[in-house]
Amino acid sequence: RNEALARSATRVERQATTIRVRFDNSLDRGLLDEMIRVERSCCPFFRIDYDENERRLSLAVNDPAMAPALEVIAERLGADR
């Protein structure tokens, strides 16, 4: 799942408590929706938003101590490519 989403990610922007991921037209919206459901259920401290028009996923945390969890997602979505 993460590999398929990473292939359609065109940009991963990182800030201290936020990541934003832009996707191209090949995005599998079903996979993205599944990822969002999983992250919301396991990590209720995430604030997650998806802008359909921009094809941009935003994940944020209020507590900087939770920021490493964002980094894991950024890496899974290809931030270090």
Coordinates of all heavy atoms in Angstrom, one line a residue:
R1 N 0.8 -1.2 0.0 CA 0.0 0.0 0.0 C 0.9 1.3 0.0 O 0.7 2.1 -0.8 CB -0.9 -0.1 1.2 CG -1.7 1.2 1.5 CD -2.5 1.1 2.7 NE -1.7 1.3 3.9 CZ -2.0 0.8 5.0 NH1 -3.1 0.1 5.2 NH2 -1.2 1.0 6.1
N2 N 1.8 1.4 0.9 CA 2.6 2.6 1.0 C 3.5 2.7 -0.3 O 3.7 3.9 -0.7 CB 3.6 2.5 2.2 CG 2.8 2.7 3.5 OD1 1.8 3.4 3.6 ND2 3.2 1.9 4.5
E3 N 3.9 1.6 -0.8 CA 4.8 1.7 -2.0 C 3.9 2.3 -3.2 O 4.4 3.1 -4.0 CB 5.3 0.4 -2.4 CG 6.3 -0.2 -1.4 CD 5.6 -0.9 -0.3 OE1 4.4 -1.3 -0.4 OE2 6.2 -1.1 0.8
A4 N 2.7 1.9 -3.3 CA 1.8 2.4 -4.4 C 1.6 3.9 -4.2 O 1.6 4.7 -5.2 CB 0.5 1.6 -4.5
L5 N 1.3 4.3 -3.0 CA 1.1 5.7 -2.7 C 2.4 6.5 -2.9 O 2.3 7.6 -3.5 CB 0.6 5.9 -1.3 CG -0.8 5.4 -1.0 CD1 -1.1 5.5 0.5 CD2 -1.8 6.2 -1.8
A6 N 3.5 5.9 -2.6 CA 4.8 6.6 -2.8 C 5.1 6.8 -4.2 O 5.6 7.9 -4.6 CB 5.9 5.8 -2.1
R7 N 4.7 5.9 -5.1 CA 4.9 6.1 -6.5 C 4.1 7.2 -7.1 O 4.6 7.8 -8.1 CB 4.6 4.8 -7.3 CG 5.6 3.7 -7.2 CD 5.4 2.6 -8.2 NE 4.1 1.9 -7.9 CZ 4.0 0.8 -7.1 NH1 5.0 0.4 -6.3 NH2 2.8 0.2 -6.9
S8 N 3.0 7.6 -6.5 CA 2.2 8.7 -7.0 C 2.5 10.0 -6.3 O 2.0 11.0 -6.7 CB 0.7 8.4 -7.0 OG 0.3 8.2 -5.7
A9 N 3.3 9.9 -5.3 CA 3.7 11.2 -4.5 C 4.7 12.0 -5.3 O 5.7 11.4 -5.8 CB 4.3 10.8 -3.2
T10 N 4.4 13.2 -5.6 CA 5.4 14.0 -6.3 C 6.2 15.0 -5.5 O 7.2 15.4 -5.9 CB 4.6 14.9 -7.4 OG1 3.7 15.8 -6.7 CG2 3.9 14.0 -8.4
R11 N 5.7 15.2 -4.3 CA 6.4 16.1 -3.4 C 6.0 15.8 -1.9 O 4.8 15.7 -1.6 CB 6.1 17.6 -3.7 CG 6.8 18.6 -3.0 CD 6.5 20.0 -3.5 NE 7.4 20.9 -2.9 CZ 7.4 22.2 -3.1 NH1 6.5 22.7 -4.0 NH2 8.2 23.0 -2.5
V12 N 7.0 15.8 -1.1 CA 6.7 15.7 0.4 C 7.4 16.9 1.1 O 8.6 17.0 1.0 CB 7.3 14.3 0.9 CG1 7.0 14.3 2.4 CG2 6.7 13.1 0.2
E13 N 6.6 17.7 1.7 CA 7.1 18.9 2.4 C 7.0 18.6 3.9 O 6.0 18.2 4.4 CB 6.2 20.1 2.1 CG 6.2 20.4 0.6 CD 5.1 21.5 0.3 OE1 4.4 21.9 1.2 OE2 4.9 21.8 -0.9
R14 N 8.1 18.9 4.6 CA 8.2 18.7 6.0 C 8.4 20.0 6.8 O 9.1 20.8 6.3 CB 9.4 17.8 6.3 CG 9.3 16.4 5.7 CD 10.5 15.6 6.2 NE 11.1 14.9 5.1 CZ 12.1 14.1 5.2 NH1 12.6 13.8 6.4 NH2 12.6 13.5 4.2
Q15 N 7.7 20.1 7.8 CA 7.9 21.1 8.8 C 7.9 20.4 10.2 O 7.8 19.2 10.3 CB 6.7 22.1 8.8 CG 6.7 22.9 7.4 CD 5.5 23.8 7.3 OE1 4.6 23.7 8.0 NE2 5.7 24.8 6.4
A16 N 8.2 21.2 11.2 CA 8.4 20.6 12.5 C 7.2 19.7 13.0 O 7.4 18.6 13.5 CB 8.6 21.7 13.6
T17 N 6.0 20.1 12.8 CA 4.9 19.3 13.2 C 3.8 19.0 12.1 O 2.7 18.7 12.4 CB 4.1 20.1 14.4 OG1 3.7 21.4 13.9 CG2 5.0 20.2 15.6
T18 N 4.3 19.2 10.9 CA 3.4 19.0 9.7 C 4.1 18.3 8.6 O 5.3 18.7 8.3 CB 2.8 20.3 9.3 OG1 2.2 21.0 10.4 CG2 1.8 20.1 8.2
I19 N 3.5 17.5 7.8 CA 4.0 17.1 6.5 C 2.8 17.3 5.5 O 1.6 17.1 5.9 CB 4.5 15.6 6.5 CG1 3.4 14.6 6.8 CG2 5.7 15.4 7.3 CD1 3.8 13.2 6.5
R20 N 3.2 17.6 4.3 CA 2.2 17.7 3.2 C 2.8 16.9 2.1 O 3.9 17.0 1.7 CB 2.0 19.2 2.8 CG 1.3 20.0 3.9 CD 1.1 21.4 3.4 NE 0.5 22.2 4.5 CZ 1.2 22.8 5.4 NH1 2.5 22.7 5.4 NH2 0.6 23.5 6.4
V21 N 1.9 16.1 1.5 CA 2.3 15.2 0.4 C 1.3 15.6 -0.8 O 0.1 15.6 -0.7 CB 2.1 13.8 0.8 CG1 2.6 12.9 -0.4 CG2 2.8 13.5 2.1
R22 N 2.0 15.9 -1.9 CA 1.2 16.1 -3.2 C 1.3 14.8 -4.0 O 2.4 14.2 -4.1 CB 1.7 17.3 -3.9 CG 1.4 18.6 -3.3 CD 1.8 19.7 -4.2 NE 1.5 20.9 -3.5 CZ 0.4 21.7 -3.7 NH1 -0.5 21.2 -4.5 NH2 0.3 22.8 -3.1
F23 N 0.2 14.5 -4.7 CA 0.1 13.3 -5.5 C -0.2 13.7 -6.9 O -0.8 14.7 -7.2 CB -1.0 12.4 -5.0 CG -0.7 11.8 -3.6 CD1 -1.3 12.5 -2.5 CD2 0.1 10.7 -3.4 CE1 -1.1 12.0 -1.2 CE2 0.3 10.2 -2.1 CZ -0.3 10.9 -1.1
D24 N 0.3 12.8 -7.9 CA -0.1 13.0 -9.3 C -1.4 12.4 -9.6 O -2.1 11.8 -8.7 CB 1.1 12.6 -10.2 CG 1.3 11.1 -10.1 OD1 0.4 10.3 -9.7 OD2 2.5 10.7 -10.5
N25 N -1.7 12.4 -10.9 CA -3.0 11.8 -11.3 C -3.1 10.3 -11.2 O -4.2 9.7 -11.3 CB -3.3 12.2 -12.8 CG -3.5 13.6 -13.0 OD1 -4.1 14.3 -12.1 ND2 -3.2 14.2 -14.1
S26 N -2.0 9.6 -10.9 CA -2.1 8.2 -10.8 C -2.5 7.7 -9.4 O -2.6 6.5 -9.1 CB -0.7 7.5 -11.1 OG 0.3 7.8 -10.2
L27 N -2.7 8.7 -8.5 CA -3.1 8.3 -7.1 C -4.3 7.4 -7.1 O -5.3 7.6 -7.7 CB -3.5 9.6 -6.4 CG -4.1 9.4 -5.0 CD1 -3.0 8.8 -4.0 CD2 -4.6 10.8 -4.4
D28 N -4.1 6.3 -6.3 CA -5.2 5.4 -6.1 C -6.0 5.9 -4.8 O -5.5 5.7 -3.7 CB -4.7 4.0 -5.8 CG -5.8 2.9 -5.6 OD1 -6.8 3.3 -5.0 OD2 -5.5 1.8 -6.0
R29 N -7.1 6.6 -5.0 CA -7.8 7.2 -3.9 C -8.3 6.2 -2.9 O -8.3 6.5 -1.7 CB -9.0 8.0 -4.5 CG -9.7 8.8 -3.5 CD -8.8 9.8 -2.7 NE -9.4 10.2 -1.5 CZ -10.2 11.3 -1.4 NH1 -10.4 12.0 -2.4 NH2 -10.7 11.6 -0.2
G30 N -8.6 5.0 -3.3 CA -9.0 3.9 -2.4 C -7.9 3.6 -1.4 O -8.1 3.4 -0.2
L31 N -6.6 3.5 -1.9 CA -5.5 3.2 -1.1 C -5.3 4.4 -0.1 O -4.9 4.2 1.1 CB -4.2 3.0 -1.9 CG -4.1 1.6 -2.6 CD1 -2.8 1.6 -3.4 CD2 -4.2 0.5 -1.6
L32 N -5.4 5.6 -0.6 CA -5.2 6.8 0.3 C -6.3 6.8 1.4 O -5.9 7.0 2.5 CB -5.3 8.1 -0.5 CG -5.1 9.3 0.3 CD1 -3.8 9.4 1.0 CD2 -5.3 10.5 -0.6
D33 N -7.5 6.5 1.0 CA -8.6 6.5 2.0 C -8.3 5.4 3.1 O -8.5 5.6 4.2 CB -9.9 6.3 1.3 CG -10.4 7.5 0.5 OD1 -9.9 8.6 0.7 OD2 -11.3 7.3 -0.3
E34 N -7.8 4.3 2.6 CA -7.5 3.2 3.5 C -6.4 3.6 4.5 O -6.5 3.4 5.7 CB -7.1 1.9 2.8 CG -6.7 0.8 3.7 CD -6.1 -0.4 2.9 OE1 -6.3 -0.5 1.7 OE2 -5.5 -1.3 3.6
M35 N -5.3 4.3 4.0 CA -4.2 4.7 4.8 C -4.7 5.7 5.8 O -4.4 5.7 7.0 CB -3.1 5.4 4.0 CG -1.9 5.8 4.8 SD -0.9 7.0 4.0 CE -1.5 8.5 4.8
I36 N -5.6 6.7 5.4 CA -6.2 7.7 6.3 C -7.0 7.0 7.4 O -6.8 7.3 8.6 CB -7.0 8.7 5.5 CG1 -6.1 9.6 4.7 CG2 -7.8 9.6 6.5 CD1 -6.8 10.5 3.7
R37 N -7.8 6.0 7.1 CA -8.6 5.3 8.1 C -7.6 4.6 9.1 O -7.9 4.7 10.3 CB -9.5 4.2 7.4 CG -10.8 4.8 6.9 CD -11.7 3.6 6.6 NE -11.2 2.7 5.5 CZ -11.3 2.9 4.2 NH1 -11.8 4.0 3.8 NH2 -10.8 2.1 3.4
V38 N -6.6 3.9 8.6 CA -5.7 3.2 9.5 C -5.0 4.2 10.4 O -4.9 4.0 11.6 CB -4.7 2.4 8.7 CG1 -3.5 1.9 9.6 CG2 -5.3 1.3 8.0
E39 N -4.5 5.3 9.9 CA -3.8 6.3 10.7 C -4.7 6.9 11.7 O -4.3 7.2 12.9 CB -3.1 7.3 9.8 CG -2.0 6.8 8.9 CD -0.9 6.0 9.6 OE1 -0.6 6.3 10.8 OE2 -0.3 5.1 9.0
R40 N -5.9 7.2 11.3 CA -6.8 7.8 12.3 C -7.2 6.9 13.4 O -7.3 7.3 14.6 CB -8.1 8.3 11.6 CG -7.9 9.6 10.8 CD -9.2 10.1 10.3 NE -9.0 11.4 9.7 CZ -9.6 11.9 8.7 NH1 -10.5 11.2 8.1 NH2 -9.4 13.1 8.2
S41 N -7.3 5.6 13.1 CA -7.6 4.6 14.2 C -6.4 4.3 15.1 O -6.6 4.2 16.3 CB -8.2 3.3 13.6 OG -7.2 2.6 12.9
C42 N -5.2 4.3 14.6 CA -4.1 3.9 15.4 C -3.4 5.2 16.0 O -2.8 5.1 17.1 CB -3.1 3.1 14.6 SG -2.0 4.1 13.5
C43 N -3.6 6.3 15.4 CA -2.9 7.5 15.9 C -3.9 8.7 15.9 O -3.8 9.6 15.1 CB -1.7 7.8 14.9 SG -0.6 6.5 14.7
P44 N -4.7 8.7 16.9 CA -5.7 9.7 17.0 C -5.2 11.1 17.3 O -5.9 12.1 17.1 CB -6.6 9.3 18.2 CG -5.8 8.4 19.0 CD -4.8 7.7 18.0
F45 N -3.9 11.2 17.6 CA -3.2 12.5 17.8 C -2.9 13.2 16.4 O -2.6 14.4 16.4 CB -1.9 12.4 18.6 CG -1.0 11.3 18.1 CD1 -0.1 11.6 17.1 CD2 -1.0 10.0 18.5 CE1 0.8 10.7 16.6 CE2 -0.2 9.1 18.1 CZ 0.8 9.4 17.1
F46 N -3.0 12.5 15.3 CA -2.8 13.1 14.0 C -4.0 13.9 13.6 O -5.2 13.5 13.8 CB -2.7 12.0 12.9 CG -1.3 11.4 12.8 CD1 -1.2 10.1 12.3 CD2 -0.2 12.1 13.1 CE1 0.0 9.5 12.2 CE2 1.1 11.5 13.0 CZ 1.2 10.2 12.5
R47 N -3.8 15.1 13.0 CA -4.8 15.9 12.3 C -4.6 15.6 10.9 O -3.5 15.9 10.4 CB -4.7 17.3 12.6 CG -5.1 17.7 14.0 CD -5.0 19.2 14.2 NE -4.0 19.8 13.4 CZ -3.0 20.5 13.8 NH1 -2.9 20.9 15.0 NH2 -2.0 21.0 13.0
I48 N -5.5 15.0 10.2 CA -5.4 14.6 8.8 C -6.4 15.3 7.9 O -7.6 15.4 8.3 CB -5.6 13.1 8.7 CG1 -4.6 12.3 9.6 CG2 -5.4 12.6 7.2 CD1 -4.8 10.8 9.6
D49 N -5.9 15.8 6.8 CA -6.8 16.5 5.9 C -6.3 16.2 4.5 O -5.1 16.0 4.2 CB -6.7 18.0 6.1 CG -7.7 18.8 5.1 OD1 -8.9 18.5 5.2 OD2 -7.2 19.6 4.4
Y50 N -7.3 16.0 3.6 CA -7.0 15.7 2.2 C -7.7 16.7 1.3 O -8.9 16.8 1.4 CB -7.3 14.3 1.7 CG -7.0 14.1 0.3 CD1 -5.6 14.0 -0.1 CD2 -7.9 13.9 -0.7 CE1 -5.3 13.8 -1.4 CE2 -7.6 13.8 -2.0 CZ -6.3 13.7 -2.4 OH -5.9 13.6 -3.7
D51 N -7.0 17.5 0.5 CA -7.6 18.5 -0.4 C -7.7 17.8 -1.8 O -6.6 17.6 -2.4 CB -6.7 19.7 -0.5 CG -7.3 20.8 -1.4 OD1 -7.8 20.5 -2.4 OD2 -7.1 22.0 -1.0
E52 N -8.9 17.5 -2.2 CA -9.1 16.7 -3.5 C -8.6 17.6 -4.7 O -8.0 17.0 -5.6 CB -10.6 16.4 -3.6 CG -10.9 15.6 -4.8 CD -10.5 14.2 -4.7 OE1 -10.6 13.6 -3.6 OE2 -10.1 13.6 -5.7
N53 N -8.9 18.9 -4.7 CA -8.5 19.7 -5.8 C -7.0 19.8 -6.0 O -6.5 19.8 -7.1 CB -9.1 21.1 -5.7 CG -10.6 21.1 -5.8 OD1 -11.2 20.3 -6.5 ND2 -11.3 21.9 -5.0
E54 N -6.3 19.9 -4.9 CA -4.9 20.0 -4.9 C -4.2 18.6 -4.9 O -2.9 18.6 -5.1 CB -4.4 20.8 -3.8 CG -4.8 22.3 -3.8 CD -4.2 23.1 -4.8 OE1 -3.0 22.9 -5.1 OE2 -4.9 23.9 -5.4
R55 N -4.9 17.6 -4.6 CA -4.4 16.2 -4.4 C -3.2 16.3 -3.4 O -2.1 15.8 -3.6 CB -3.9 15.6 -5.7 CG -5.0 15.2 -6.7 CD -4.5 14.4 -7.9 NE -3.4 15.0 -8.6 CZ -3.5 15.9 -9.5 NH1 -4.7 16.4 -9.8 NH2 -2.4 16.3 -10.1
R56 N -3.6 17.0 -2.2 CA -2.6 17.2 -1.2 C -3.1 16.7 0.1 O -4.2 17.0 0.6 CB -2.3 18.7 -1.0 CG -1.2 19.0 0.0 CD -1.0 20.5 0.2 NE -2.2 21.1 0.6 CZ -2.7 22.2 0.1 NH1 -2.1 22.9 -0.9 NH2 -3.8 22.7 0.6
L57 N -2.3 15.8 0.7 CA -2.5 15.2 2.0 C -1.7 16.0 3.0 O -0.5 16.2 2.8 CB -2.1 13.7 2.0 CG -2.2 13.0 3.3 CD1 -3.6 12.8 3.8 CD2 -1.5 11.6 3.2
S58 N -2.4 16.4 4.1 CA -1.7 17.1 5.2 C -1.9 16.3 6.5 O -3.0 15.9 6.8 CB -2.3 18.5 5.4 OG -2.1 19.3 4.3
L59 N -0.8 16.0 7.2 CA -0.8 15.4 8.5 C -0.1 16.3 9.5 O 1.0 16.8 9.1 CB -0.2 14.0 8.5 CG -0.9 13.0 7.6 CD1 -0.2 12.8 6.3 CD2 -0.9 11.7 8.4
A60 N -0.7 16.5 10.6 CA -0.1 17.4 11.6 C -0.3 16.8 13.0 O -1.2 16.0 13.2 CB -0.6 18.8 11.5
V61 N 0.5 17.2 13.9 CA 0.4 16.9 15.3 C 0.4 18.2 16.1 O 1.1 19.2 15.7 CB 1.5 15.9 15.8 CG1 1.3 14.6 15.2 CG2 2.9 16.5 15.6
N62 N -0.3 18.2 17.2 CA -0.2 19.4 18.1 C 1.0 19.3 19.0 O 1.6 20.4 19.4 CB -1.5 19.5 19.0 CG -2.7 19.9 18.1 OD1 -2.6 20.6 17.2 ND2 -3.8 19.3 18.5
D63 N 1.4 18.1 19.5 CA 2.5 17.9 20.4 C 3.7 17.6 19.6 O 3.8 16.6 19.0 CB 2.1 16.8 21.3 CG 3.1 16.5 22.4 OD1 4.2 17.1 22.3 OD2 2.8 15.7 23.3
P64 N 4.8 18.5 19.7 CA 6.0 18.2 19.0 C 6.6 16.8 19.4 O 7.4 16.3 18.6 CB 6.9 19.3 19.4 CG 6.0 20.4 19.8 CD 4.8 19.8 20.4
A65 N 6.3 16.3 20.5 CA 6.9 15.0 20.9 C 6.3 13.9 20.0 O 6.9 12.8 19.9 CB 6.5 14.7 22.4
M66 N 5.2 14.1 19.3 CA 4.7 13.1 18.4 C 5.2 13.3 16.9 O 4.9 12.5 16.1 CB 3.1 13.2 18.4 CG 2.5 13.0 19.7 SD 2.8 11.3 20.2 CE 2.0 11.2 21.7
A67 N 6.0 14.3 16.7 CA 6.5 14.5 15.4 C 7.3 13.4 14.7 O 7.2 13.2 13.5 CB 7.4 15.8 15.4
P68 N 8.0 12.5 15.5 CA 8.6 11.4 14.9 C 7.7 10.5 14.1 O 8.0 9.8 13.1 CB 9.3 10.7 16.1 CG 9.6 11.8 17.0 CD 8.4 12.7 16.9
A69 N 6.4 10.4 14.6 CA 5.4 9.6 13.9 C 5.2 10.1 12.5 O 5.0 9.4 11.5 CB 4.1 9.5 14.7
L70 N 5.2 11.4 12.3 CA 5.1 12.1 11.0 C 6.2 11.7 10.1 O 6.1 11.5 8.9 CB 5.0 13.6 11.1 CG 3.7 14.2 11.8 CD1 3.9 15.7 11.9 CD2 2.5 13.9 10.9
E71 N 7.4 11.7 10.7 CA 8.6 11.4 9.9 C 8.5 10.0 9.3 O 8.9 9.7 8.2 CB 9.9 11.5 10.8 CG 11.1 11.5 10.0 CD 11.2 12.6 8.9 OE1 10.7 13.7 9.1 OE2 11.9 12.3 7.9
V72 N 8.0 9.0 10.1 CA 7.8 7.7 9.6 C 6.9 7.7 8.4 O 7.2 7.0 7.3 CB 7.2 6.7 10.7 CG1 6.8 5.4 10.1 CG2 8.2 6.6 11.8
I73 N 5.8 8.4 8.4 CA 4.9 8.5 7.3 C 5.6 9.2 6.1 O 5.5 8.7 4.9 CB 3.6 9.2 7.6 CG1 2.8 8.3 8.6 CG2 2.8 9.5 6.4 CD1 1.6 8.9 9.2
A74 N 6.3 10.2 6.3 CA 7.0 10.9 5.3 C 8.0 10.0 4.6 O 8.1 10.0 3.3 CB 7.8 12.2 5.8
E75 N 8.7 9.2 5.3 CA 9.7 8.3 4.7 C 8.9 7.2 3.9 O 9.4 6.8 2.8 CB 10.5 7.6 5.8 CG 11.5 8.6 6.4 CD 12.2 8.0 7.6 OE1 12.1 6.8 7.9 OE2 12.9 8.8 8.3
R76 N 7.8 6.7 4.4 CA 7.1 5.7 3.7 C 6.5 6.2 2.4 O 6.4 5.5 1.4 CB 5.9 5.2 4.5 CG 6.2 4.3 5.7 CD 5.0 3.9 6.4 NE 5.3 3.2 7.6 CZ 4.4 3.1 8.6 NH1 3.2 3.5 8.5 NH2 4.7 2.4 9.7
L77 N 6.3 7.5 2.3 CA 5.7 8.1 1.1 C 6.8 8.7 0.2 O 6.5 9.4 -0.7 CB 4.7 9.2 1.5 CG 3.4 8.6 2.2 CD1 2.5 9.7 2.5 CD2 2.7 7.6 1.3
G78 N 8.0 8.4 0.5 CA 9.1 8.7 -0.4 C 9.8 10.0 -0.2 O 10.5 10.5 -1.1
A79 N 9.8 10.5 1.0 CA 10.4 11.8 1.3 C 11.9 11.8 1.1 O 12.5 12.8 0.7 CB 10.2 12.2 2.8
D80 N 12.6 10.6 1.2 CA 14.0 10.5 1.0 C 14.5 10.1 -0.3 O 15.6 9.7 -0.5 CB 14.6 9.6 2.1 CG 14.4 10.2 3.5 OD1 14.4 11.5 3.6 OD2 14.1 9.5 4.4
R81 N 13.5 10.1 -1.3 CA 13.9 9.6 -2.7 C 14.8 10.7 -3.3 O 14.7 11.9 -3.1 CB 12.7 9.4 -3.5 CG 12.0 8.1 -3.2 CD 11.0 7.8 -4.2 NE 9.7 8.5 -3.8 CZ 8.8 8.9 -4.6 NH1 8.9 8.7 -5.8 NH2 7.7 9.4 -4.1

